[in-house]
Amino acid sequence: MRTCLAALLATLLLTGCGAATTPPETLPSLGAPSTAPSTPTPSVEPSPGTSPPGWLGTRPLPTTSAGLGVRSPTPPALRDRRFTLPDTVPPLPGTGFESVVVDPAPEDVIARSTWAPGCPVPATDLAWVRLTFWGFDDQRHTGELLVNRSVAQDVVTAFRHLYDSRFPIEEMRITTKAEQTAAPTGDGDDTGSFNCRPVRGATTFSQHAYGLAVDVNPFQNPYVKGDVVLPELAGAYTDRSWRRPGMIFALGPVVQAFADIGWTWGGTWRSLKDLQHFSQNGR
């Protein structure tokens, strides 16, 4: 009898020990973190050219004896440029085309422009224009221009036509004195008007110095004279057979809009092509 009890006790002990040798992976979870890989959230990469590169406007170019930046190849991120930068003025109310003309321009607006004593037009002859435009992001934006008061309403009419045709613009703001003296980066694209400076390569004042000219999307529509391209990184846009958003063509809406107010396009000039430029007197 004692032998049977001893045998039974031994069997029970062995069974208990056997439970302790169960492989760890068969034990129930005790709340330890799961090691199963989580499903990554897919990231949506912006389409090429639709997002401004982080270095935009921060990389000065070597300069020539004329003070221009050295022409350089267009970076891949700018070869099909179709982004719109944040607005620099509050949005105008409404959902369609809107404009506000303040004539003459307020003193604080003149103060942040390139106007200075010696400019060929008095500050009181300049009007501050705010208007809406379509961005490359297909959104309604608000920009500002400083123009000669005598053409303010005509300029508004031209940009109303551009709005109606949904022609995209990257940014629209007033050029500052700091920009005039900054080292060239060759990648600017500001649509603007008044800029108290001489004609490129000359000493006479530009029509911009009178507020009687407008440049539209300069990067997509560069100034080209021989080997000079301005902006200096816009060489990819000298190929006008590759049609991209924001470019200006002879039969397109921008040329027609300015022709309707009697202005001439620099893309028709013979000695050079200023594809961004529109002016009242054709210069």
Side-chain angles (χ1 to χ4, degrees), residues 112-114 173-181 190 194-195:
R112 58 185 173 83
S113 77
T114 59
R173 57 180 178 76
I174 295 171
T175 303
T176 65
K177 293 182 180 72
E179 289 178 271
Q180 281 188 323
T181 57
D190 175 35
F194 179 76
N195 191 350

Side-chain angles (χ1 to χ4, degrees), residues 145-166:
L145 298 167
L146 197 57
V147 303
N148 195 291
R149 62 187 302 188
S150 66
V151 300
Q153 292 301 331
D154 285 343
V155 169
V156 167
T157 296
F159 278 98
R160 178 186 294 273
H161 290 326
L162 298 194
Y163 187 91
D164 291 344
S165 65
R166 300 182 77 98

Side-chain angles (χ1 to χ4, degrees), residues 14-90:
L14 288 174
T15 302
C17 293
T21 61
T22 304
E25 60 269 20
T26 66
L27 293 174
S29 171
L30 298 179
S34 172
T35 58
S38 59
T39 303
T41 302
S43 59
V44 179
E45 289 292 332
S47 300
T50 61
S51 180
W55 46 260
L56 192 72
T58 66
R59 305 194 300 197
L61 297 170
T63 55
T64 67
S65 58
L68 302 175
V70 174
R71 177 179 175 179
S72 303
T74 304
L78 301 182
R79 290 175 188 163
D80 188 6
R81 182 171 181 159
R82 54 179 75 200
F83 50 79
T84 291
L85 299 179
D87 296 349
T88 57
V89 291

Side-chain angles (χ1 to χ4, degrees), residues 14 46 52 82 84 94 107 112 114 125 128-129 157 165 169 171 175 183 194 215 229-231 248 258 268 277:
L14 288 174
R82 54 179 75 200
T84 291
E107 291 183 2
R112 58 185 173 83
T114 59
D125 278 358
W128 182 39
V129 177
T157 296
S165 65
I169 292 173
E171 64 171 334
T175 303
F194 179 76
D215 287 344
V229 174
L230 300 172
I248 298 170
F258 281 96
T268 63
H277 183 84

Side-chain angles (χ1 to χ4, degrees), residues 1-12:
M1 184 66 177
R2 290 181 180 177
T3 302
C4 291
L5 289 174
L8 178 59
L9 180 60
T11 300
L12 291 173

